[in-house]
Amino acid sequence: MAMQGGTALQEKVSRMLSRKHKKPVLKPNKPLVLKDEVANRKIKKGEATCVTEMSMMMACWKQNNFVDTLCSNEMQSFYTCVEKAQIAVKNKSEQHTIGQSGRLQPKQATILLKRYPNLHVEI
Amino acid sequence: MASTSGLRTTLSKMAASLTGLLKPWTPRVLLVRWSRYNPYYLEPEPRKEVYHIPETELTPEQKEERELKSVRPIKAATNSVTSSVFNDPVLSKFVNMMMKDGDKIIAKGIITQTLENMKRKQVEKYHKAPEGKKAEIECNPYAIFHQALENCKPVIGLASIQKGGKFYQVPIPLTDNRRRFLAMKWMITECRDNKHRRTLMYEKLSQELLAAFSKEGNVVKRKHELHKMAESNRAYAHYRWW
């Protein structure tokens, strides 16, 4: 089944390269060979965490002329928020690397492809 | 299939190196003490109290930990870690940061002189103070050092983030290590730069630490200036993406 799919693809490519009917669709300047690696997916840009806590703390600072002792409650809540955000980030990255949800991660795919690379020298 | 299981172990080593879920590993060659170890190695425990707990009073987690330590290899302890009562990791870090060209003897000497100087000043203040105020004066130089460092630590920092071709100073939360590093760095640079030619380092350092203990002085001023900058730039807080 893979061989049938393979030959169909090669026939289509040769049709696109041919100059029989009209201008060729493909004019490759490099050989049409896949690389031994997969491009890394861009991680979704997250949002700024703990902005509310930060703004509350800054408002308290503004009121009290940047004296730290009077703003200890806000500072404590800011620290707890930051800790929670860090733990959340760590858990999320761990979950991404370990649980793939049916699809291989780009790094893992690259490792597999590098083990069985394209042959460019005749053995 | 052999390839996928091999892949999984490689990936588990990559991803879970810090969680310690590695397959059992023994070194093929005997390791000399170095700073890079296989994540399979455990940290050494320098504190004496942990080993003096009798068998009966161990919690189940501690028992598990002891059993794990009997099977797993352990990293060699560095020279700076001791089991003595005077071992202070924060102070050791400060000494290392003050050290120049690897001369730890001079740096440690300066710190000892600083602590002694602080103690002398505080004891003098103690004896001159009236009876009511005597209890408030802190004489322990280690306590003064720790409190002064705490007072110098900034709460948020600024990061240079590029958006639309321009760079903005964005307020960001800092990790504990970064805050401690900044406090120590500011203290050391302040004492190196802003002093009279004839004052020695320990003298200036003791002055600065005592000032920071009572929340005055240049280092605490620098921390407040950083806070003010962050507060003025609070509109750019949303430029962060983490």
Side-chain angles (χ1 to χ4, degrees), chain A residues 46-49 51 54, chain B residues 161 170-173 236-242:
Chain A
E47 282 182 0
T49 46
V51 180
M54 200 196 285
Chain B
I161 290 183
V170 174
I172 54 164
Y236 301 135
H238 288 279
Y239 286 2
R240 229 183 345 137
W241 59 86
W242 69 95

Side-chain angles (χ1 to χ4, degrees), chain B residues 100-111:
Chain B
K100 274 187 179 179
D101 297 331
D103 215 335
K104 181 111 75 158
I105 304 171
I106 294 182
K108 187 88 175 93
I110 292 173
I111 298 289

